[in-house]
């Protein structure tokens, strides 16, 4: 099941607004600034819960199929105009299969990103081909509330090695996707973090740059990435398991088709889970949200340098939610351009979903 909640009905609230049972997906906005929170439940094994906005009035989710072995990725593309706009089996004409078989039941190995010009890209590990990384780009058209058309290009291999958890973002003006993740590249790089730039053409074909390997050796978990149009740089947040699961940030940039990344900057010196990022255009800062010790959701501000791949993180944080005895998870964050306020979505006690403006 799919449910959508409009931002204009939550951004006016200072207290959490309850949703339905399930887990939050990403938070997205249409071009008019109206916000949507997408939520999924009963989507099969390890639901992906990934959503993007096209800025052209439609939104898209990447989910596992509900039937069969739950290993096939499905893109759902549709318009939506109201609260609790359910998408179920009756809206099958909005569902578009990415391939015949994909991924490894590990949803962190798949990513969905908007590339501009009504194009989206799915990056995944294909377990029918040794879990190598693949990308498939499609153009969305004729989008309505109960149907859409998605014209796929050819699935293209982006690595010969096993693709593990990764994060992506796109510089839509130049149609370049930045990927940072564990594995990928050539075989033998499974235990290190690597990066590559993928250039998208308007005909849904791609060209894959040269992988930069060994960016870090520590593990790489729950990554989230955004592109900052103010500095033309990417920022990725994640946690590592070599230092008590501390939260880390890295800033990256692209020169031609070559990625480069700055050093790690710690944003939280303690256990971190479920990280989310968004850019605050009014103050020109990155907002980093995370769930801490499963009881708290906190947010910090960070400033990206416009001359180097560095970032400065605020010392103080804002605690958005405290729930003693009720686990918090699936933190997601977006800036609502219509109401000029950040909006956060999270799951409480693994069943109830909330949204909150702050």
């Amino acid at each position: 099941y799919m449910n959508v909640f409009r931002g204009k009905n939550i951004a006016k609230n200072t207290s959490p607004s309850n949703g339905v049972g399930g887990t939050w997906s990403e938070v997205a906005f249409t071009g008019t600034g109206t916000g949507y929170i997408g939520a999924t439940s009963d989507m099969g094994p390890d639901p992906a819960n990934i959503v993007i906005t096209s800025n052209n009035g439609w939104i898209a989710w990447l989910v596992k199929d509900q039937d069969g072995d739950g290993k096939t990725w499905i893109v759902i593309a549709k318009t939506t105009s109201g609260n609790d706009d359910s998408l179920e089996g009756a809206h099958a004409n909005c569902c578009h299969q990415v391939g015949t078989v994909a991924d490894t039941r590990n949803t962190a190995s798949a990513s969905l990103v908007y590339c501009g010009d009504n194009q989206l890209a799915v990056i995944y590990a294909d377990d029918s081909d040794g879990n190598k990384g693949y990308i498939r780009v499609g153009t969305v058209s004729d989008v309505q509330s109960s149907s859409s058309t998605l014209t796929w290009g050819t699935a293209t291999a982006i690595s010969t090695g096993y693709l593990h958890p990764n994060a992506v973002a796109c510089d839509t003006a130049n149609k370049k996707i930045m990927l940072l993740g564990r594995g990928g590249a050539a075989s033998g790089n499974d235990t290190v973090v690597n990066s590559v730039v993928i250039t998208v053409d308007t005909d849904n074909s791609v060209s894959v740059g040269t992988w930069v390997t060994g960016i870090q050796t520590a593990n790489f978990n729950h990554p989230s990435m955004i592109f900052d149009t103010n500095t033309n740089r990417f920022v990725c947040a994640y946690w590592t398991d070599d230092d008590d699961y501390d939260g880390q940030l890295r800033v990256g940039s692209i020169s031609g088709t070559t990625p480069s990344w700055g050093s790690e900057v710690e944003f939280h010196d303690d256990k971190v889970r479920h990280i989310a990022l968004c850019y605050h255009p009014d103050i020109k800062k990155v907002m980093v949200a995370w769930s801490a010790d499963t009881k708290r959701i906190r947010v910090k501000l960070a400033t990206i340098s416009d001359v180097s791949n560095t970032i400065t993180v605020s010392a103080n944080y804002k605690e958005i939610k405290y729930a003693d005895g009720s686990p918090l998870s699936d933190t997601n964050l977006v800036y609502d351009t219509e109401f000029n306020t950040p909006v956060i979505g999270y799951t409480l006690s693994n069943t109830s979903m909330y949204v909150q403006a702050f």
Side-chain angles (χ1 to χ4, degrees):
Y1 301 93
M2 188 73 64
N3 293 276
V4 177
F5 304 90
R6 293 190 68 178
K8 66 171 58 179
N9 294 302
I10 61 174
K12 296 177 181 178
N13 299 325
T14 57
S15 60
S17 176
N18 193 13
V20 295
T23 56
W24 285 119
S25 88
E26 297 291 337
V27 184
F29 282 85
T30 66
T32 61
T34 302
Y36 297 92
I37 306 288
T40 64
S41 60
D42 299 327
M43 293 304 291
D46 300 319
N49 297 335
I50 304 172
V51 67
I52 60 172
T53 176
S54 72
N55 295 321
N56 286 322
W58 55 264
I59 51 180
W61 288 268
L62 177 65
V63 299
K64 292 289 186 69
D65 65 345
Q66 298 186 60
D67 302 315
D69 59 9
K71 296 173 67 175
T72 301
W73 287 112
I74 301 291
V75 170
I76 303 173
K78 71 186 297 286
T79 60
T80 185
S81 58
N83 279 359
D84 203 13
D85 184 5
S86 296
L87 178 61
E88 303 178 13
H91 292 173
N93 291 329
C94 295
C95 299
H96 309 279
Q97 188 168 310
V98 177
T100 56
V101 64
D103 205 62
T104 61
R105 300 183 186 273
N106 179 2
T107 57
S109 295
S111 298
L112 177 68
V113 63
Y114 181 63
C115 308
D117 301 317
N118 284 311
Q119 291 176 289
L120 55 78
V122 180
I123 295 171
Y124 58 93
D126 189 338
D127 73 350
S128 69
D129 191 21
N131 294 304
K132 297 175 183 177
Y134 274 79
I135 184 172
R136 197 170 194 190
V137 178
T139 300
V140 178
S141 61
D142 302 321
V143 187
Q144 302 175 41
S145 61
S146 59
S147 66
S148 60
T149 298
L150 208 166
T151 304
W152 290 109
T154 302
T156 302
I158 62 172
S159 72
T160 57
Y162 194 129
L163 182 66
H164 290 279
N166 62 85
V168 301
C170 187
D171 172 2
T172 56
N174 295 297
K175 303 188 77 64
K176 292 183 179 181
I177 298 171
M178 174 79 95
L179 182 151
L180 182 68
R182 186 164 58 87
S187 299
N189 287 287
D190 294 2
T191 61
V192 296
V193 174
N194 311 299
S195 186
V196 71
V197 174
I198 305 167
T199 305
V200 177
D201 202 318
T202 54
D203 65 358
N204 295 331
S205 64
V206 299
S207 59
V208 183
T210 302
W211 283 84
V212 174
T213 60
I215 294 171
Q216 72 179 47
T217 57
N219 216 331
F220 182 81
N221 302 284
H222 285 270
S224 178
M225 189 190 300
I226 59 170
F227 178 67
D228 175 8
T229 56
N230 185 56
T231 62
N232 289 322
R233 298 180 190 277
F234 300 82
V235 57
C236 186
Y238 53 92
W239 57 265
T240 61
D241 56 9
D242 65 338
D243 188 18
D244 197 31
Y245 307 100
D246 293 350
Q248 309 286 350
L249 295 170
R250 278 188 192 269
V251 175
S253 57
I254 295 174
S255 177
T257 59
T258 301
S260 63
W261 289 91
S263 301
E264 277 187 343
V265 175
E266 189 175 84
F267 69 83
H268 185 60
D269 186 20
D270 205 349
K271 186 174 290 186
V272 165
R273 290 288 190 276
H274 305 287
I275 306 167
L277 296 173
C278 81
Y279 183 70
H280 195 307
D282 293 345
I283 59 176
K284 292 182 171 55
K285 294 182 185 295
V286 174
M287 304 186 73
V288 187
W290 72 96
S291 57
D293 61 26
T294 73
K295 296 180 180 180
R296 299 169 172 85
I297 293 179
R298 294 171 173 172
V299 176
K300 275 188 175 182
L301 297 177
T303 304
I304 302 175
S305 169
D306 58 3
V307 296
S308 64
N309 290 338
T310 57
I311 191 166
T312 303
V313 184
S314 63
N316 299 322
Y317 60 81
K318 169 72 174 178
E319 190 156 289
I320 304 300
K321 178 69 176 178
Y322 175 75
D324 190 14
S326 299
L328 292 160
S329 61
D330 302 301
T331 307
N332 292 284
L333 182 66
V334 73
Y335 184 80
D336 187 331
T337 55
E338 182 176 1
F339 293 97
N340 299 319
T341 184
V343 179
I344 196 164
Y346 55 88
T347 303
L348 180 64
S349 299
N350 299 318
T351 55
S352 298
M353 298 173 293
Y354 290 81
V355 287
Q356 182 175 349
F358 62 97

